[in-house]
Amino acid sequence: MAAIAIIDYGMGNLHSVSKAVERLGHEAIITADPNTILAAAGAILPGVGAFGDAISSLKESGLDAIVMQYAQSGKPLLGICLGMQLLFTQSEEHGIHQGLNLLPGKVVRFTGDYKVPHMGWNKLMFKHQENRLFKGLEEGHVYFVHSYHVVTDREEDLLATTDYYQQVTAIVGHQQVYGMQFHPEKSGELGMQLLANFIALCEEAK
C-alpha cells in the first residue's frame, strides 16, 4: 500500500487528513523530515490560516524547496484548502505574498454583496471528466470554508468548479500536481472517493 506523507509545516489540519488516509487503508505519515517526504509514494500539503503566515512557515523550515522538489519528481502532490492556494504564484491575502508557483495563477478575495467566508456544502462541476481523479465518480456536494479563491492562468488546470455567486475554482491539476479548495476529508462519500482516487494515482506512480 502507498505511504502518503502529510507535510507538517505547523499550519495544517494534519490529523483529520491523516485519519482519512488511514480509513482508506493506507499509511499516513505526518512529517517535516525531507527524506521521509521525498521517499513517500504521495504527498499532501494541508493548510489552515493565512497565506502569508503559511508561506513564511514553509520557507523558514526549508520545506518550500522540498515541496517543489517533490513536485518535480513526478509523484503525485495534493494541496488541500490553503495548501492548494500555496501551489499558486501569488496571493493578495493581507498584502501581496509570493507562493510556490507550481501552478500559474493568483489568490484573490471574494468581493460582492454576499456572505464571506464561503462556508458550506456546494456542488462540484467537473470540467475535465476524463481526468483520472474523477474515475468512477459523479458530481456531488463537498464542504468549503474559505474567504479567498484561486484565479488560474491556464484554463486547462481548472478541473472542477463550484458556484458561489460566480464560478469558483474547486479542483486544479497539472501533470501530477493537484489541489482541492474544499476539505475532502470532511466532504462525505464524494470527498473520500476523490481522496481514494488521488491515492490510486500514488500507487500507479510508485
Side-chain angles (χ1 to χ4, degrees):
M1 290 293 182
I4 307 298
I6 316 295
I7 300 170
D8 182 6
Y9 61 101
M11 291 190 63
N13 204 4
L14 303 172
H15 292 287
S16 62
V17 175
S18 173
K19 293 299 182 187
V21 171
E22 290 172 353
R23 284 202 305 274
L24 292 168
H26 295 267
E27 182 184 6
I29 307 168
I30 297 174
T31 183
D33 178 66
N35 291 330
T36 302
I37 295 168
L38 294 173
I44 296 176
L45 182 67
V48 176
F51 189 103
D53 293 339
I55 199 68
S56 293
S57 183
L58 273 173
K59 288 180 177 179
E60 286 166 9
S61 64
L63 288 173
D64 59 331
I66 299 303
V67 173
M68 294 169 76
Q69 185 179 343
Y70 191 91
Q72 292 161 4
S73 75
K75 292 189 289 187
L77 170 68
L78 173 64
I80 293 177
C81 197
L82 176 60
M84 180 188 102
Q85 296 180 3
L86 292 170
L87 302 176
F88 283 86
T89 309
Q90 190 179 83
S91 172
E92 65 174 33
E93 184 176 1
H94 307 308
I96 301 299
H97 304 279
Q98 301 306 309
L100 296 171
N101 200 31
L102 292 169
L103 299 172
K106 59 185 178 180
V107 182
V108 301
R109 184 171 173 81
F110 283 111
T111 56
D113 187 21
Y114 49 81
K115 184 180 177 183
V116 177
H118 168 213
M119 181 183 300
W121 293 83
N122 288 77
K123 187 176 181 180
L124 289 182
M125 290 162 277
F126 300 159
K127 295 182 71 70
H128 294 281
Q129 180 77 54
E130 75 283 357
N131 192 283
R132 291 182 298 164
L133 198 63
F134 303 138
K135 184 178 179 180
L137 304 187
E138 296 182 0
E139 295 177 343
H141 288 71
V142 292
Y143 187 73
F144 291 85
V145 184
H146 61 127
S147 300
Y148 291 78
H149 64 103
V150 169
V151 178
T152 60
D153 284 356
R154 290 189 301 229
E155 179 68 24
E156 63 267 26
D157 292 352
L158 190 56
L159 301 185
T161 63
T162 194
D163 182 70
Y164 189 66
Y165 299 93
Q166 61 189 292
Q167 177 178 279
V168 176
T169 299
I171 302 178
V172 294
H174 180 74
Q175 297 177 349
Q176 295 291 80
V177 177
Y178 294 93
M180 300 180 188
Q181 179 61 71
F182 53 93
H183 290 271
E185 76 282 7
K186 297 180 180 178
S187 294
E189 184 178 354
L190 178 55
M192 291 298 286
Q193 289 174 333
L194 284 163
L195 201 53
N197 280 1
F198 170 75
I199 295 173
L201 298 178
C202 300
E203 288 276 15
E204 292 174 18
K206 280 199 301 185

